[in-house]
Amino acid sequence: MLLNGRSVSRETQERLEHFALLFQKWAKTINLVAPSTLDEFWNRHISDSAQIFQLSPEPLRWIDLGSGGGFPGIVTAIFLAELQDGWVHLVESNQKKAAFLRVALAETHARGSVHPVRIETAPRIIPECDRISARALAELDLLLSYSADWMIGKKARAFFHKGRDYAAEVAKARGRWAFDLVEHRSVVEADSMILEIANLRRNEP
């Protein structure tokens, strides 16, 4: 199987397909994503989320903020299962969505755990990580606030999905933060970007 032009093992494909079936079942009773996107589920959500791991395909410790329906956190955890190493901490305060995420991890044998807490309290529970991800969660400035405890003075990198207005969000964020930025154009949606951020600092007042 090819996903975003890259080969995916049969085992990972089967895990992703099982996750897709679980998602469609749970989405009938829980609002996991916008209903208008369900018809394009595989491309809009699975393929789009897979880009994150494909940009950093190492067995690392991830924190996925506001995991919601599992994008990209569950998808990353499924890829890590093939490596038999690495871990994804999925942070999701909504109890119903957290329940879905637990079932998805268990049934796909993915490498991750669910933390049903607010993002602001997560650093006390998960003090260290290598990578941070978030998709359709908040503006970049707020995402950097959420991520600061894991990034400032540390080597953690963040990967954030952003849409066509990403440049305005970057400009706004630079008013409060300094950071190294690599822009990865989405291979799934032409006007979207994945922002890779490292070396986060607070601007001097």
Side-chain angles (χ1 to χ4, degrees), residues 71-90:
F71 307 113
I74 293 289
V75 176
T76 299
I78 286 173
F79 275 102
L80 289 175
E82 185 173 340
L83 301 182
Q84 298 182 346
D85 201 355
W87 198 258
V88 183
H89 295 278
L90 298 105

Side-chain angles (χ1 to χ4, degrees), residues 109-175:
H109 305 287
R111 295 186 61 83
S113 52
V114 181
H115 303 272
V117 299
R118 292 180 60 81
I119 294 171
E120 295 87 346
T121 66
R124 296 200 293 271
I125 301 168
I126 319 158
E128 300 289 338
C129 71
D130 304 302
R131 300 287 185 266
I132 302 166
S133 59
R135 181 174 181 264
L137 178 63
E139 281 197 357
L140 181 60
D141 181 58
L142 183 54
L143 290 174
L144 295 178
S145 293
Y146 287 153
S147 305
D149 285 346
W150 294 300
M151 295 187 71
I152 293 179
K154 302 175 182 179
K155 295 182 179 180
R157 291 175 174 264
F159 291 83
F160 298 138
H161 282 86
K162 285 294 165 188
R164 67 184 65 184
D165 297 327
Y166 77 94
E169 290 192 35
V170 170
K172 178 181 177 182
R174 287 201 185 279

Side-chain angles (χ1 to χ4, degrees), residues 20 22 35 40 77 84-85 87 92 99 105 107-109 124 127 129 132 138 155-156 177 192-193 196 205:
L22 277 175
E40 306 173 76
Q84 298 182 346
D85 201 355
W87 198 258
E92 175 53 59
L105 287 171
E107 293 199 16
T108 61
H109 305 287
R124 296 200 293 271
C129 71
I132 302 166
K155 295 182 179 180
W177 307 96
S192 294
M193 198 74 67
E196 178 180 351

Side-chain angles (χ1 to χ4, degrees), residues 13 17 21 39 41 49 53 58 73 77 97 102 107 110 113 127 131 134 159 175-176 178 189 191 194:
Q13 178 183 347
E17 289 173 347
L21 289 173
D39 290 341
F41 176 79
S49 294
F53 177 80
E58 303 93 4
K97 291 179 180 179
R102 289 192 194 95
E107 293 199 16
S113 52
R131 300 287 185 266
F159 291 83
R176 193 153 64 111
E189 296 190 44
D191 58 355
I194 296 170

